[in-house]
Amino acid sequence: MAKAIAEGIKEEKVDVKIKRCDYATVEDAIEPDGIAFGSPTYFGYMAGVLKDFFDRSLEFRKRISGKKAVAFASAGSNGEGCLESIENMINAFGMERVREGVISTGIPGDKELDACRDLGRALAKSMK
Ligand SMILES: Cc1cc2nc3c(=O)[nH]c(=O)nc-3n(C[C@H](O)[C@H](O)[C@H](O)COP(=O)(O)O)c2cc1C
């Protein structure tokens, strides 16, 4: 899903990097004009490593607020809680959610990957 979002962003001629949140630094949240946050659903919520990334970034909230953002989630059966938890963080950090996020239930198929590319294009367009 992350790769498909990155493809959509590149189609709009906007630079993109994919980062794993467990290795990402706070600078990775401060540097870009827009961010797509994604996670597998674990116990109806985002994965702990993504929550930890938000927690680590909290003191830099003022430098992150105002950026464009979107969310995406994968799930075994229901990704609503995960997507909502990420979108709540986007709001809490004062980022601007560009569009409703994408959920893939099970392995993402063509439909979900197309929706991800679309999401990437929308994020990139919002940053121009
Ligand atoms: C510890 C754990 C908890 C999970 N909790 C949920 C859950 O609450 N709801 C759900 O739909 N899927 C749940 N799943 C399934 C994962 O969301 C699913 O396997 C994952 O999104 C697949 O993405 P990945 O290929 O990136 O790991 C859970 C999986 C694990 C390992």
Side-chain angles (χ1 to χ4, degrees), residues 63-120:
R63 295 176 67 188
I64 296 167
S65 107
K67 293 181 190 292
K68 312 291 182 183
V70 293
F72 61 103
S74 65
S77 57
N78 185 346
E80 294 287 341
C82 178
L83 192 75
E84 192 186 352
S85 68
I86 300 171
E87 292 185 338
N88 284 343
M89 281 295 176
I90 289 172
N91 287 336
F93 273 78
M95 289 182 272
E96 188 189 323
R97 193 191 68 162
V98 170
R99 162 189 298 198
E100 193 174 329
V102 174
I103 295 173
S104 175
T105 306
I107 295 169
D110 289 346
K111 185 171 152 255
E112 289 79 16
L113 295 176
D114 280 348
C116 286
R117 274 182 214 100
D118 229 38
L119 194 64

Coordinates of all heavy atoms in Angstrom, one line a residue, residues 63-120:
R63 N 6.0 22.2 14.8 CA 6.7 22.2 13.5 C 6.0 21.2 12.5 O 6.4 21.2 11.3 CB 8.2 21.9 13.7 CG 8.8 23.0 14.5 CD 10.3 22.7 14.8 NE 11.1 22.6 13.6 CZ 12.4 22.2 13.6 NH1 12.9 21.8 14.8 NH2 13.0 22.1 12.5
I64 N 5.1 20.4 13.0 CA 4.5 19.4 12.2 C 3.1 19.9 11.8 O 2.6 19.5 10.7 CB 4.4 18.1 12.9 CG1 5.9 17.5 13.2 CG2 3.6 17.0 12.2 CD1 6.0 16.4 14.1
S65 N 2.5 20.7 12.6 CA 1.1 21.1 12.4 C 1.1 21.9 11.0 O 2.0 22.6 10.7 CB 0.6 22.0 13.6 OG 0.6 23.3 13.3
G66 N -0.1 21.8 10.4 CA -0.2 22.5 9.1 C 0.2 21.7 7.9 O -0.1 22.0 6.7
K67 N 0.9 20.6 8.1 CA 1.3 19.7 7.0 C 0.1 19.0 6.4 O -0.9 18.7 7.2 CB 2.4 18.7 7.4 CG 3.7 19.4 7.8 CD 4.7 18.3 8.1 CE 6.0 19.0 8.7 NZ 6.8 19.8 7.8
K68 N 0.2 18.6 5.2 CA -0.9 17.7 4.6 C -0.7 16.3 5.0 O 0.5 15.8 5.1 CB -0.9 17.8 3.1 CG -0.8 19.3 2.5 CD -2.0 20.0 2.8 CE -1.9 21.4 2.2 NZ -3.0 22.3 2.5
A69 N -1.7 15.6 5.2 CA -1.6 14.2 5.6 C -2.8 13.3 5.2 O -3.9 13.8 5.0 CB -1.5 14.1 7.2
V70 N -2.5 12.0 5.0 CA -3.5 11.0 4.8 C -3.1 9.8 5.6 O -2.0 9.6 6.0 CB -3.6 10.7 3.3 CG1 -4.2 11.8 2.5 CG2 -2.3 10.2 2.7
A71 N -4.1 8.9 5.7 CA -3.9 7.6 6.5 C -4.3 6.4 5.6 O -5.2 6.5 4.7 CB -4.7 7.7 7.7
F72 N -3.6 5.3 5.9 CA -4.0 4.0 5.3 C -3.8 2.9 6.3 O -3.0 3.0 7.2 CB -3.3 3.8 4.0 CG -1.8 3.7 4.1 CD1 -1.2 2.4 4.0 CD2 -1.0 4.8 4.2 CE1 0.2 2.3 4.1 CE2 0.4 4.7 4.3 CZ 1.0 3.5 4.2
A73 N -4.6 1.9 6.1 CA -4.6 0.8 7.1 C -4.8 -0.6 6.4 O -5.6 -0.7 5.5 CB -5.6 1.0 8.2
S74 N -4.2 -1.6 6.9 CA -4.5 -3.0 6.5 C -5.1 -3.7 7.7 O -4.9 -3.3 8.8 CB -3.3 -3.7 5.9 OG -2.4 -3.9 7.0
A75 N -5.9 -4.7 7.4 CA -6.6 -5.4 8.5 C -6.9 -6.9 8.0 O -7.0 -7.2 6.8 CB -7.9 -4.7 8.8
G76 N -7.1 -7.7 9.0 CA -7.5 -9.1 8.8 C -9.0 -9.1 8.5 O -9.5 -9.7 7.6
S77 N -9.8 -8.3 9.3 CA -11.2 -8.3 9.1 C -11.9 -6.9 9.2 O -12.8 -6.6 8.5 CB -11.9 -9.2 10.0 OG -11.6 -8.8 11.4
N78 N -11.3 -6.0 10.0 CA -11.9 -4.7 10.2 C -10.8 -3.6 10.5 O -10.3 -3.6 11.6 CB -13.0 -4.7 11.3 CG -13.7 -3.4 11.4 OD1 -13.3 -2.4 10.9 ND2 -14.8 -3.4 12.1
G79 N -10.5 -2.7 9.6 CA -9.5 -1.7 9.7 C -10.0 -0.4 10.2 O -9.2 0.6 10.2
E80 N -11.3 -0.3 10.4 CA -11.9 1.1 10.8 C -11.2 1.7 12.0 O -10.9 2.9 12.0 CB -13.4 0.9 11.1 CG -14.2 0.5 9.9 CD -14.4 1.5 8.8 OE1 -14.2 2.7 9.1 OE2 -14.8 1.2 7.7
G81 N -11.0 0.9 13.0 CA -10.4 1.4 14.3 C -9.0 1.9 14.1 O -8.6 2.9 14.6
C82 N -8.2 1.2 13.3 CA -6.9 1.6 13.0 C -6.8 2.9 12.2 O -6.1 3.8 12.5 CB -6.2 0.4 12.2 SG -4.5 0.8 11.7
L83 N -7.7 2.9 11.1 CA -7.7 4.2 10.3 C -8.1 5.3 11.1 O -7.5 6.4 11.1 CB -8.6 4.0 9.1 CG -8.5 5.1 8.1 CD1 -7.2 4.9 7.2 CD2 -9.7 5.1 7.1
E84 N -9.1 5.1 12.0 CA -9.6 6.2 12.8 C -8.5 6.7 13.8 O -8.4 7.9 14.0 CB -10.9 5.8 13.6 CG -11.6 6.9 14.2 CD -12.8 6.4 15.1 OE1 -13.1 5.2 15.1 OE2 -13.3 7.3 15.8
S85 N -7.8 5.7 14.4 CA -6.8 6.1 15.3 C -5.7 6.9 14.7 O -5.2 7.9 15.3 CB -6.2 4.9 16.0 OG -5.4 4.1 15.1
I86 N -5.3 6.6 13.4 CA -4.3 7.4 12.7 C -4.9 8.8 12.4 O -4.2 9.8 12.6 CB -3.8 6.7 11.5 CG1 -3.2 5.3 11.8 CG2 -2.8 7.5 10.7 CD1 -2.9 4.5 10.6
E87 N -6.1 8.8 11.9 CA -6.7 10.1 11.5 C -6.9 11.0 12.8 O -6.8 12.2 12.7 CB -8.0 9.9 10.7 CG -7.7 9.2 9.4 CD -8.9 9.1 8.4 OE1 -10.0 9.0 8.9 OE2 -8.6 9.0 7.2
N88 N -7.2 10.4 13.9 CA -7.3 11.2 15.2 C -5.9 11.8 15.5 O -5.9 13.0 15.9 CB -7.7 10.3 16.3 CG -9.2 9.9 16.3 OD1 -9.9 10.6 15.6 ND2 -9.5 8.9 17.1
M89 N -4.8 11.1 15.2 CA -3.5 11.7 15.4 C -3.2 12.8 14.5 O -2.6 13.8 14.9 CB -2.4 10.6 15.3 CG -2.3 9.7 16.4 SD -1.7 10.6 17.9 CE -1.7 9.3 19.0
I90 N -3.6 12.6 13.2 CA -3.4 13.7 12.2 C -4.1 14.9 12.7 O -3.5 16.0 12.7 CB -4.0 13.2 10.8 CG1 -3.1 12.1 10.2 CG2 -4.2 14.4 9.9 CD1 -3.6 11.5 9.0
N91 N -5.3 14.8 13.2 CA -6.1 16.0 13.8 C -5.3 16.5 15.0 O -5.2 17.7 15.1 CB -7.5 15.6 14.2 CG -8.4 15.4 13.0 OD1 -8.1 15.9 11.9 ND2 -9.4 14.6 13.1
A92 N -4.9 15.6 15.9 CA -4.3 16.0 17.2 C -3.0 16.8 16.9 O -2.7 17.7 17.7 CB -4.0 14.8 18.0
F93 N -2.3 16.5 15.8 CA -1.1 17.2 15.5 C -1.3 18.5 14.7 O -0.4 19.2 14.3 CB -0.1 16.3 14.7 CG 0.8 15.5 15.6 CD1 0.3 14.3 16.3 CD2 2.1 15.8 15.9 CE1 1.1 13.6 17.1 CE2 2.9 15.1 16.7 CZ 2.4 14.0 17.3
G94 N -2.6 18.7 14.4 CA -2.9 20.0 13.6 C -2.5 19.8 12.2 O -2.4 20.9 11.5
M95 N -2.4 18.6 11.7 CA -2.1 18.4 10.3 C -3.5 18.5 9.5 O -4.5 18.2 10.2 CB -1.4 17.1 10.0 CG 0.0 17.0 10.5 SD 0.8 15.4 10.1 CE 0.4 14.5 11.6
E96 N -3.4 18.7 8.3 CA -4.6 18.9 7.5 C -4.9 17.5 6.7 O -4.1 17.2 5.8 CB -4.5 20.0 6.5 CG -5.8 20.3 5.7 CD -5.5 21.3 4.6 OE1 -4.7 22.2 4.8 OE2 -6.2 21.1 3.6
R97 N -5.9 16.8 7.1 CA -6.2 15.6 6.4 C -6.8 15.9 5.0 O -7.8 16.6 4.9 CB -7.3 14.8 7.2 CG -7.3 13.3 6.7 CD -8.5 12.6 7.3 NE -9.8 13.2 6.8 CZ -10.9 12.6 6.9 NH1 -11.0 11.4 7.5 NH2 -12.0 13.1 6.4
V98 N -6.1 15.5 4.0 CA -6.4 15.8 2.6 C -7.7 15.1 2.1 O -8.5 15.7 1.4 CB -5.2 15.5 1.7 CG1 -5.6 15.6 0.2 CG2 -4.0 16.4 2.1
R99 N -7.8 13.9 2.6 CA -8.9 13.0 2.1 C -9.1 11.8 3.0 O -8.1 11.5 3.7 CB -8.6 12.6 0.6 CG -9.3 11.5 0.1 CD -8.9 11.0 -1.2 NE -8.9 11.8 -2.3 CZ -8.9 11.3 -3.6 NH1 -8.9 10.0 -3.8 NH2 -8.9 12.1 -4.6
E100 N -10.3 11.2 3.0 CA -10.5 10.0 3.8 C -9.5 8.9 3.3 O -9.2 8.8 2.1 CB -11.9 9.5 3.6 CG -12.3 8.5 4.7 CD -13.7 8.1 4.6 OE1 -14.6 9.0 4.2 OE2 -14.1 7.0 4.9
G101 N -9.0 8.2 4.3 CA -7.9 7.2 4.0 C -8.5 5.9 3.3 O -9.6 5.8 3.0
V102 N -7.5 5.0 3.1 CA -7.8 3.7 2.4 C -7.6 2.6 3.4 O -6.6 2.5 4.1 CB -6.9 3.5 1.2 CG1 -7.1 2.2 0.6 CG2 -7.2 4.6 0.2
I103 N -8.5 1.6 3.4 CA -8.4 0.4 4.2 C -8.3 -0.8 3.2 O -9.1 -0.9 2.2 CB -9.6 0.2 5.1 CG1 -9.7 1.3 6.1 CG2 -9.5 -1.2 5.8 CD1 -10.9 1.2 7.0
S104 N -7.4 -1.7 3.4 CA -7.4 -3.0 2.7 C -7.6 -4.1 3.7 O -6.9 -4.3 4.7 CB -6.0 -3.2 2.1 OG -6.0 -4.5 1.5
T105 N -8.7 -4.8 3.5 CA -9.0 -6.0 4.3 C -8.4 -7.2 3.6 O -8.9 -7.5 2.5 CB -10.5 -6.1 4.5 OG1 -11.0 -4.9 5.0 CG2 -10.9 -7.2 5.5
G106 N -7.4 -7.8 4.2 CA -6.7 -8.9 3.5 C -5.7 -8.3 2.6 O -5.4 -7.1 2.6
I107 N -5.1 -9.2 1.8 CA -4.0 -8.7 0.9 C -4.6 -7.7 -0.1 O -5.6 -8.0 -0.7 CB -3.4 -9.9 0.2 CG1 -2.7 -10.9 1.2 CG2 -2.4 -9.5 -0.9 CD1 -2.3 -12.2 0.6
P108 N -3.9 -6.5 -0.2 CA -4.5 -5.5 -1.1 C -4.5 -6.0 -2.6 O -3.5 -6.5 -3.1 CB -3.5 -4.3 -1.0 CG -2.4 -4.8 -0.1 CD -2.7 -6.1 0.5
G109 N -5.7 -5.9 -3.2 CA -5.9 -6.2 -4.6 C -5.8 -5.0 -5.5 O -5.5 -3.9 -5.0
D110 N -6.1 -5.1 -6.8 CA -6.0 -4.0 -7.7 C -6.9 -2.8 -7.2 O -6.4 -1.7 -7.4 CB -6.5 -4.4 -9.1 CG -5.5 -5.4 -9.8 OD1 -4.4 -5.5 -9.3 OD2 -5.9 -6.1 -10.7
K111 N -8.1 -3.1 -6.7 CA -9.0 -2.0 -6.3 C -8.3 -1.2 -5.2 O -8.3 0.1 -5.2 CB -10.3 -2.6 -5.8 CG -11.4 -1.6 -5.5 CD -12.7 -2.4 -5.2 CE -13.6 -1.6 -4.3 NZ -13.6 -2.2 -2.9
E112 N -7.8 -1.9 -4.2 CA -7.2 -1.2 -3.0 C -5.9 -0.4 -3.5 O -5.7 0.7 -3.0 CB -6.8 -2.2 -1.9 CG -8.0 -2.7 -1.2 CD -8.7 -3.9 -1.9 OE1 -8.1 -4.4 -2.9 OE2 -9.9 -4.2 -1.6
L113 N -5.1 -1.1 -4.3 CA -3.9 -0.4 -4.8 C -4.2 0.8 -5.7 O -3.5 1.8 -5.6 CB -3.0 -1.4 -5.5 CG -2.5 -2.6 -4.6 CD1 -1.6 -3.6 -5.4 CD2 -1.7 -2.0 -3.4
D114 N -5.2 0.7 -6.5 CA -5.6 1.9 -7.3 C -6.1 3.0 -6.3 O -5.7 4.2 -6.5 CB -6.8 1.5 -8.2 CG -6.3 0.8 -9.5 OD1 -5.1 0.8 -9.7 OD2 -7.2 0.3 -10.2
A115 N -6.8 2.6 -5.3 CA -7.3 3.7 -4.3 C -6.1 4.3 -3.6 O -6.0 5.5 -3.3 CB -8.2 3.0 -3.3
C116 N -5.0 3.5 -3.4 CA -3.8 4.0 -2.7 C -3.1 5.0 -3.7 O -2.6 6.1 -3.3 CB -2.9 2.9 -2.3 SG -3.4 2.0 -0.9
R117 N -3.0 4.6 -5.0 CA -2.4 5.5 -6.0 C -3.1 6.8 -6.0 O -2.5 7.9 -6.1 CB -2.3 4.9 -7.4 CG -1.1 4.0 -7.5 CD -1.0 3.4 -8.9 NE -0.5 2.1 -8.8 CZ -1.1 0.9 -8.8 NH1 -2.4 0.9 -9.0 NH2 -0.5 -0.2 -8.5
D118 N -4.4 6.7 -6.0 CA -5.3 7.9 -6.0 C -5.0 8.8 -4.8 O -5.0 10.0 -4.9 CB -6.7 7.4 -5.9 CG -7.6 8.1 -6.9 OD1 -7.1 8.3 -8.1 OD2 -8.8 8.4 -6.6
L119 N -4.9 8.1 -3.6 CA -4.6 8.8 -2.4 C -3.3 9.6 -2.5 O -3.1 10.7 -2.0 CB -4.6 7.8 -1.2 CG -4.6 8.4 0.2 CD1 -6.0 9.1 0.5 CD2 -4.5 7.2 1.2
G120 N -2.3 8.9 -3.0 CA -1.0 9.5 -3.2 C -1.0 10.7 -4.1 O -0.4 11.8 -3.8

